[in-house]
Amino acid sequence: GPKVDALVREAGMSGVRVRGVRISEEDGNRVLNEGDATARDVLVLMDFLRGRIARERGIKLVEELDVIGRDRPLAEDPSEPS
């Protein structure tokens, strides 16, 4: 099938930003943290991208990674021992 980078470019998604994260203009397979992105920001952007590609091309993108993240540093997580 088509490569993700080509699908991202065809959908006009290169450079699209959600809060602190954006899709790379050079490689549609990469999301870039602008310095203050949260895990949630990354997931929202990925969901937006998958939805756009599914609607426009009828292709379901599947992540090839396990997403692990928190929206605050571990030191502030009340479930972690201090």
Side-chain angles (χ1 to χ4, degrees), residues 13-26:
M13 297 287 292
S14 295
V16 169
R17 180 182 317 260
V18 170
R19 298 184 64 175
V21 66
R22 70 180 166 83
I23 299 172
S24 170
E25 291 89 350
E26 292 80 30

Side-chain angles (χ1 to χ4, degrees), residues 32-78:
L32 306 173
N33 184 337
E34 299 287 299
D36 60 348
T38 65
R40 182 171 308 225
D41 296 340
V42 173
L43 295 174
V44 167
L45 181 59
M46 290 170 64
D47 284 344
F48 181 61
L49 174 63
R50 278 195 304 271
R52 168 85 56 98
I53 300 296
R55 280 191 310 279
E56 292 186 4
R57 297 292 304 273
I59 297 171
K60 180 181 177 186
L61 297 179
V62 178
E63 296 149 1
E64 293 183 352
L65 53 94
D66 292 324
V67 178
I68 301 171
R70 296 172 187 260
D71 285 340
R72 59 183 183 256
L74 287 175
E76 295 177 17
D77 188 337

